[in-house]
């Protein structure tokens, strides 16, 4: 009974007289324009400013990541330190950075100009794009030089300075020890020696440091990730960057991502729906509560405030049902005191699973039989494919943009109890994956993924709370919880009659969830 889903493009009635159709540029799966980041029309050059170890690279990287992943805007970082290392070698002593050392000054200027030349080539290319020039740029003269070069090269794009000021000695020490000492500049150097050298290097920059002021033009000044001064910044994309930057901080914190426990629909191989948990799913919920108690809320023996987000669907709320909620006094950084409810559950609609529209509640096998063209189209381009009357991964990416900003903003650990499609996007964003890879990321049931973002990337650890064998104790066949990849059906797997679940075995054999190494 092959057919076409209502609203599918192939079901257009013959009577429609449309000799001049609006054809989307990239074929049948092309996304409508609003999910393509097309609202931005300007190129932007972001120029970082600040003393060493104030989080400039972290900020520049986050901006580029955010714009390229969520807004599909090409964005690239040009780190002068990388050019300096290539030109002069890695381990230069603090004296190299002394402003009274003419040789050091000359070499650093060469590195600056080499990075700038590449930035110019990059930003000159067609289309909206963002380039971040990552260096200390601590003198007015240096900043003027950069602007002059850009203007001479005919770069008409908007230029905004982002200055990071950090005078908290604890944060600085933290930055130096956790970030700087891990760079090639201090590889194999005794840590105490390295800290002393880095402080001397910083002091050299301090001698000539001129903070941004009105004469610099458009800028945002970030003071201790708490106060912000915005000067003369206008335009959709520049203000989008300002908004994002105001959500950022460089303090360490951890995210815990987990799917809901096994749902009744998982067991049947059905996608979507709003089913409750199976007994195995409920057992996972119990183990998750224990995990939260033992691994999340306590650090160094002390209870810390943590957040818990679920979707609005039953299976995630039930997965969070056994989590305990202590109360204790907590103080915000604005001095306000209030009662913190530990892991208080917040439901977020944008965490709801990718909506499969007309296919909601069907198995992949049923979709393939009933809507073969839809099935094939999804296999061709899983990122852009939009279910009839439903969503695509691109749609989901767009609705997760504000949530990702919330995650950037939070300073407490966050436990996200979500769904496969949703967590794939969040994971891909933080792990630096291309958006095209996101729909295929393995997010197994029964695992907690711990993500710890840091200045140069994101550290990942996975905890398997329930073994594959325990899942199958109910005597049922393995659930199918992920769209099979094209041409991946293993040879020799034969269909079994009548039972939909049995037919879906062909998919289960390649399902990364059931084949995850830790389970
Ligand atoms: O099968 C579980 C599920 O969360 C479905 O509800 C959802 O449609 C699907 O995973 C998303 O995975 P895929 O994009 O591989 O179809």
């Amino acid at each position: 009974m092959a057919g076409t889903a209502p609203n599918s493009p192939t079901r257009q009635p013959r009577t429609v007289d449309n000799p001049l159709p609006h054809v989307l540029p990239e074929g049948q799966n092309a996304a409508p324009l609003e999910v393509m980041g097309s609202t931005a029309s300007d190129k932007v050059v972001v120029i970082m400013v600040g003393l060493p170890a104030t989080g400039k690279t972290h900020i520049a990287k986050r901006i580029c990541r955010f714009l390229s992943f969520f807004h599909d805007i090409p964005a690239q970082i040009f780190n002068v330190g990388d050019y300096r290392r290539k030109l002069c070698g890695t381990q230069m002593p603090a004296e190299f950075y002394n402003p009274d050392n003419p040789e050091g000054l000359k070499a650093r200027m060469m590195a600056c100009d080499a990075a700038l030349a590449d930035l110019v080539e990059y930003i000159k290319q067609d289309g909206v794009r963002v380039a971040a020039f990552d260096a200390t740029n601590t003198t007015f003269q240096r900043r003027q030089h950069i602007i002059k070069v850009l203007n001479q090269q005919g770069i008409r794009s908007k230029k905004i300075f982002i200055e990071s000021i950090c005078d908290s000695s604890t944060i600085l020490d933290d930055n130096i020890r956790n970030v700087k000492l891990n760079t090639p500049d201090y590889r194999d150097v005794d840590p105490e020696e390295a800290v002393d050298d880095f402080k001397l290097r910083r002091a050299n920059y301090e001698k000539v440091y001129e903070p941004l002021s009105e004469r610099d033009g458009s800028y945002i000044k970030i003071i201790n990730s708490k106060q912000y001064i915005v000067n003369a910044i206008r335009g959709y994309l520049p203000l989008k960057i300002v908004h994002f930057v105001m959500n950022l901080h460089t303090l360490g914190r951890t995210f815990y991502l987990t799917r809901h426990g096994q749902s009744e629909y998982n067991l049947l191989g059905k996608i979507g729906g709003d089913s409750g948990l199976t007994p195995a799913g409920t057992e996972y919920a119990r183990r998750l509560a224990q995990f939260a108690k033992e691994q999340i809320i306590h650090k160094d023996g002390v209870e810390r405030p943590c957040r818990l987000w679920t979707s609005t669907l039953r299976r995630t709320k039930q997965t969070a049902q056994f989590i305990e909620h202590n109360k204790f006094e907590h103080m915000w950084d604005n001095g306000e005191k209030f009662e913190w409810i530990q892991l208080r559950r917040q439901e977020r609609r944008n965490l709801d699973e990718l909506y499969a529209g007309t296919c909601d509640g069907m198995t992949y096998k049923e979709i393939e039989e009933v809507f073969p063209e839809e099935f094939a189209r999804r296999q061709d381009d899983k990122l852009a494919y939009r279910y009839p009357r439903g969503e695509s991964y691109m749609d989901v990416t767009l609705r997760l943009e504000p949530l990702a900003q919330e995650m950037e903003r939070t300073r407490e650990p966050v436990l996200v109890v979500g769904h496969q499609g949703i967590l794939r996007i969040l994971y891909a964003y933080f792990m630096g994956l291309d958006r095209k890879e996101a729909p295929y990321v393995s997010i197994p049931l029964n695992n907690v993924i711990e993500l710890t973002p840091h200045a140069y990337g994101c550290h990942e650890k996975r905890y398997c709370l329930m073994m594959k064998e325990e899942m199958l104790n109910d005597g049922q066949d393995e659930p199918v919880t992920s769209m099979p990849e094209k041409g991946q059906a293993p040879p020799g797997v034969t269909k079994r009659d009548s039972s939909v679940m049995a037919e879906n075995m062909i998919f289960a054999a390649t399902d990364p969830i059931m084949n995850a190494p830790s389970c």
Side-chain angles (χ1 to χ4, degrees):
M1 59 143 177
T4 312
N7 264 18
S8 126
T10 50
R11 196 155 179 221
Q12 206 176 51
R14 290 235 170 96
T15 49
V16 172
D17 180 22
N18 186 11
L20 299 169
H22 176 169
V23 180
L24 296 172
E26 289 151 36
Q28 304 229 53
N29 271 332
L33 294 175
E34 74 271 19
V35 296
M36 298 298 293
S38 53
T39 16
S41 57
D42 299 322
K43 295 175 195 270
V44 178
V45 177
V46 170
I47 303 156
M48 303 307 297
V49 175
L51 292 170
T54 47
K56 296 182 299 300
T57 302
H58 174 84
I59 296 168
K61 284 203 167 190
R62 296 314 301 157
I63 294 172
C64 291
R65 181 77 198 129
F66 177 73
L67 293 176
S68 57
F69 190 82
F70 284 108
H71 295 274
D72 205 19
I73 295 174
Q76 196 169 310
I77 180 164
F78 296 83
N79 178 282
V80 175
D82 290 343
Y83 288 79
R84 190 239 318 142
R85 280 184 276 273
K86 267 188 215 132
L87 285 169
C88 319
T90 45
Q91 302 193 339
M92 304 306 285
E95 183 50 28
F96 175 78
Y97 303 92
N98 187 338
D100 301 323
N101 170 356
E103 278 182 16
L105 216 54
K106 195 170 151 211
R108 282 159 52 211
M109 204 58 198
M110 270 171 66
C112 168
D113 284 339
L116 207 48
D118 284 352
L119 182 148
V120 165
E121 283 314 303
Y122 174 78
I123 204 82
K124 269 185 179 168
Q125 292 171 57
D126 275 353
V128 174
R129 55 187 59 235
V130 172
F133 191 66
D134 181 22
T136 51
N137 303 321
T138 35
T139 64
F140 179 64
Q141 195 193 6
R142 162 74 91 95
R143 300 193 288 267
Q144 283 292 290
H145 171 74
I146 297 166
I147 298 291
K148 198 170 129 206
V149 171
L150 293 175
N151 288 339
Q152 276 169 352
Q153 293 292 330
I155 308 299
R156 301 264 78 85
S157 63
K158 295 212 162 116
K159 296 134 191 135
I160 54 176
F161 290 104
I162 299 184
E163 180 177 22
S164 178
I165 298 174
C166 177
D167 48 27
S168 142
S169 55
T170 346
I171 299 181
L172 271 178
D173 276 7
D174 229 45
N175 273 354
I176 295 175
R177 283 180 195 279
N178 295 333
V179 181
K180 292 295 166 191
L181 300 199
N182 292 318
T183 65
D185 288 5
Y186 292 108
R187 190 153 296 145
D188 303 327
V189 179
D190 169 73
E192 292 317 312
E193 239 175 71
V195 170
D196 289 346
D197 181 84
F198 193 82
K199 286 188 172 165
L200 278 177
R201 185 199 289 196
R202 202 181 130 96
N204 274 326
Y205 280 97
E206 254 170 326
K207 288 182 200 161
V208 289
Y209 180 25
E210 296 165 297
L212 289 172
S213 65
E214 288 218 11
R215 63 183 175 165
D216 283 289
S218 302
Y219 66 79
I220 173 165
K221 224 181 239 286
I222 307 164
I223 307 162
N224 293 323
S225 301
K226 192 172 170 186
Q227 289 179 318
Y228 304 86
I229 300 169
V230 182
N231 186 62
I233 299 189
R234 297 192 183 88
Y236 172 80
L237 191 51
L239 284 167
K240 187 104 209 148
I241 295 172
V242 167
H243 182 240
F244 177 69
V245 157
M246 289 175 79
N247 280 304
L248 282 181
H249 64 81
T250 51
L251 309 169
R253 96 338 274 269
T254 309
F255 304 124
Y256 297 88
L257 310 182
T258 178
R259 287 175 70 181
H260 50 80
Q262 186 193 48
S263 70
E264 287 158 331
Y265 268 25
N266 285 153
L267 195 59
L268 296 170
K270 286 174 178 290
I271 66 167
D274 192 13
S275 62
L277 298 183
T278 63
T282 307
E283 175 57 22
Y284 178 71
R286 285 205 176 83
R287 294 187 193 185
L288 181 65
Q290 194 61 26
F291 177 84
K293 199 169 167 177
E294 288 166 6
Q295 308 270 353
I296 302 181
I297 65 174
H298 289 108
K299 192 171 187 209
D300 306 326
V302 182
E303 182 159 0
R304 54 181 176 167
C306 301
R307 296 174 188 267
L308 168 64
W309 299 346
T310 67
S311 74
T312 65
L313 296 168
R314 285 171 64 210
R315 52 195 186 276
T316 60
K317 293 192 264 181
Q318 288 179 2
T319 304
Q321 68 185 304
F322 302 115
I323 290 173
E324 289 174 16
H325 308 288
N326 289 337
K327 290 179 184 167
F328 51 88
E329 194 170 85
H330 184 58
M331 190 161 78
W332 290 124
D333 62 354
N334 64 3
E336 195 188 325
K337 276 191 189 160
F338 69 102
E339 188 181 59
W340 183 275
I341 302 173
Q342 185 62 289
L343 290 167
R344 180 173 65 87
R345 188 167 61 77
Q346 279 187 280
E347 281 174 32
R348 291 173 177 256
R349 214 165 155 225
N350 45 1
L351 276 177
D352 285 1
E353 181 57 306
L354 182 149
Y355 180 49
T358 310
C359 299
D360 185 60
M362 296 173 82
T363 64
Y364 292 112
K365 194 70 206 160
E366 285 168 342
I367 299 172
E368 191 180 15
E369 276 175 13
V370 181
F371 305 127
E373 288 176 12
E374 295 294 329
F375 188 84
R377 244 184 245 146
R378 188 161 199 255
Q379 285 207 317
D380 275 351
D381 188 350
K382 204 174 170 191
L383 176 69
Y385 173 81
R386 182 181 264 165
Y387 278 109
R389 307 196 65 187
E391 291 180 299
S392 67
Y393 270 97
M394 275 202 189
D395 295 322
V396 167
T397 304
L398 209 67
R399 72 164 147 96
L400 285 174
E401 188 247 291
L403 192 109
Q405 292 209 50
E406 277 278 281
M407 290 176 80
E408 295 279 9
R409 173 186 79 79
T410 55
R411 290 162 192 234
E412 302 78 23
V414 188
L415 169 59
V416 182
V417 184
H419 304 265
Q420 174 162 244
I422 300 299
L423 298 181
R424 279 174 170 159
I425 299 293
L426 295 178
Y427 176 92
Y429 168 62
F430 283 105
M431 291 301 290
L433 304 183
D434 193 276
R435 9 152 92 189
K436 275 215 169 311
E437 294 173 76
Y440 304 98
V441 169
S442 164
I443 309 282
L445 283 173
N446 306 325
N447 281 257
V448 178
I449 303 175
E450 182 187 271
L451 296 182
T452 312
H454 53 81
Y456 295 91
C458 188
H459 183 259
E460 170 184 0
K461 192 169 173 189
R462 293 193 178 213
Y463 301 85
C464 180
L465 305 191
M466 209 165 157
M467 306 298 274
K468 180 176 165 182
E469 294 72 26
E470 298 177 81
M471 290 277 291
L472 301 176
N473 277 350
D474 51 17
Q476 302 283 347
D477 279 321
E478 293 181 4
V480 177
T481 67
S482 197
M483 169 94 172
E485 283 182 47
K486 204 174 182 179
Q488 290 285 301
V493 179
T494 46
K495 279 189 187 178
R496 282 188 265 151
D497 42 26
S498 63
S499 149
V500 166
M501 276 185 323
E503 289 193 349
N504 275 298
M505 280 295 285
I506 193 165
F507 301 121
T510 52
D511 193 322
I513 292 151
M514 299 313 292
N515 297 296
S518 57
C519 285

